[in-house]
Amino acid sequence: MNLNDPRDLAPLLEAFLLASGKPQSLERLFELFEEAERPEPSVFKKALEVLRKSCSGRAFELKEVASGYRLQIREDYAPWVGRLWEERPQRYSRALLETMALIAYRQPITRGEIEDVRGVAVNTNIVKTLLEREWIRVVGYREVPGKPAMFATTKAFLDHFNLKNLDDLPALADLRDMEPEPVLELDDAPVPAHLQALADESAEPPAAKEETSFRTLLVELDTMEEGLKTDFDDLLEEEPAAEEAPARDPEAETPRQ
């Protein structure tokens, strides 16, 4: 075997990647060879290109992600290959996805800044889940009172979503086009019309924070130029003021006998 020939080196690199089962960086691949037999970096790159082309028409592909190169099943076969595992795919809540999106697009960012944009408190379990999955990490502390932790994404996050670097993140406009209609959770269930009417008739309640949908969040992120404090009032549909509503006539609403 001539290791300086990309055509001979390519199958060996394929064997390395199949055996490892996880991404391998070029530096790590270099270390697998004795110094006397180690091919030149240019030969490695040519061999990887040969390997990439050899995967054409096969069920797997060579993919470069943040941690290096890996061989993975093509996405077209995922619905069937997924049946090999008995556990159901992990489903993530809208709140977790909103938080993850903010960290990915606005990093480094603190928990308080996330709450300012979303308009609601960030559940501690969400941050814990993201840290346990090693999708985010603490990269420092903001120089403000309390010194809150600043979060950023990790290579594990990029690897999970088949990204080489943050520049590969889809544009926010593209995400809005791809986003499916959200599945209503208990807290998202619409208020019955008769109850909403009763609420509208009552005295005007104190202003409350509005929780944004993922679609609204992406629109807001796309238009933000600087800073994270955002007023979402301009995203709400304009409604007539409560005091402008015509007075109700109690006698007119009394059912006839």
Side-chain angles (χ1 to χ4, degrees):
M1 179 183 296
N2 182 6
L3 296 180
N4 288 310
D5 186 340
R7 292 171 297 180
D8 286 346
L9 181 59
L12 180 55
L13 295 180
E14 179 180 354
F16 283 150
L17 296 178
L18 285 174
S20 67
K22 62 181 181 180
Q24 297 293 330
S25 65
L26 279 177
E27 291 76 10
R28 176 55 181 158
L29 293 174
F30 289 154
E31 295 173 356
L32 297 175
F33 294 88
E34 298 290 342
E35 186 174 355
E37 64 179 7
R38 184 176 301 152
E40 294 294 325
S42 59
V43 177
F44 265 93
K45 293 182 179 180
K46 290 180 181 179
L48 286 169
E49 185 59 30
V50 170
L51 177 56
R52 189 191 310 276
K53 292 180 179 179
S54 71
C55 293
S56 177
R58 303 177 71 175
F60 58 90
E61 62 182 342
L62 178 67
K63 184 73 175 181
E64 183 180 6
V65 293
S67 298
Y69 295 87
R70 70 182 174 197
L71 291 172
Q72 62 184 36
I73 301 297
R74 295 186 183 275
E75 186 176 354
D76 294 343
Y77 302 105
W80 292 274
V81 176
R83 297 171 187 170
L84 288 171
W85 294 274
E86 295 182 358
E87 65 270 15
R88 299 181 62 183
Q90 178 69 50
R91 295 182 63 87
Y92 301 109
S93 68
R94 185 181 65 182
L96 185 144
L97 293 176
E98 288 178 355
T99 301
M100 188 70 254
L102 274 170
I103 296 174
Y105 284 94
R106 304 296 300 176
Q107 58 185 300
I109 187 172
T110 67
R111 181 171 174 172
E113 291 166 339
I114 295 172
E115 293 174 344
D116 285 343
V117 176
R118 292 193 63 236
V120 293
V122 175
N123 191 303
T124 301
N125 288 332
I126 290 179
V127 176
K128 181 180 179 182
T129 297
L130 294 175
L131 288 170
E132 289 178 346
R133 287 185 171 274
E134 297 183 347
W135 285 2
I136 65 172
R137 63 190 178 96
V138 176
V139 295
Y141 297 88
R142 188 78 72 197
E143 290 297 330
V144 296
K147 291 190 175 181
M150 296 186 294
F151 299 106
T153 55
T154 64
K155 284 187 176 181
F157 164 79
L158 296 173
D159 291 348
H160 183 84
F161 291 100
N162 274 339
L163 302 173
K164 181 179 178 182
N165 52 51
L166 291 174
D167 293 336
D168 292 337
L169 282 169
L172 294 176
D174 296 338
L175 283 179
R176 291 197 298 272
D177 294 337
M178 294 188 305
E179 182 203 1
E181 290 299 324
V183 178
L184 290 178
E185 299 178 0
L186 182 60
D187 293 340
D188 301 322
V191 178
H194 69 284
L195 293 179
Q196 185 62 53
L198 291 175
D200 293 340
E201 294 171 13
S202 62
E204 183 178 357
K209 291 183 178 180
E210 294 289 339
E211 182 172 358
T212 63
S213 68
F214 192 50
R215 186 184 303 277
T216 304
L217 172 67
L218 293 178
V219 171
E220 188 64 24
L221 285 175
D222 199 18
T223 56
M224 288 167 57
E225 294 183 354
E226 58 184 43
L228 287 168
K229 294 186 179 298
T230 305
D231 185 0
F232 283 88
D233 291 341
D234 58 341
L235 302 180
L236 301 177
E237 295 183 0
E238 185 175 355
E239 297 181 358
E243 59 271 16
E244 296 179 2
R248 300 178 62 91
D249 186 354
E251 295 182 358
E253 297 182 359
T254 303
R256 296 183 179 181
Q257 302 295 329

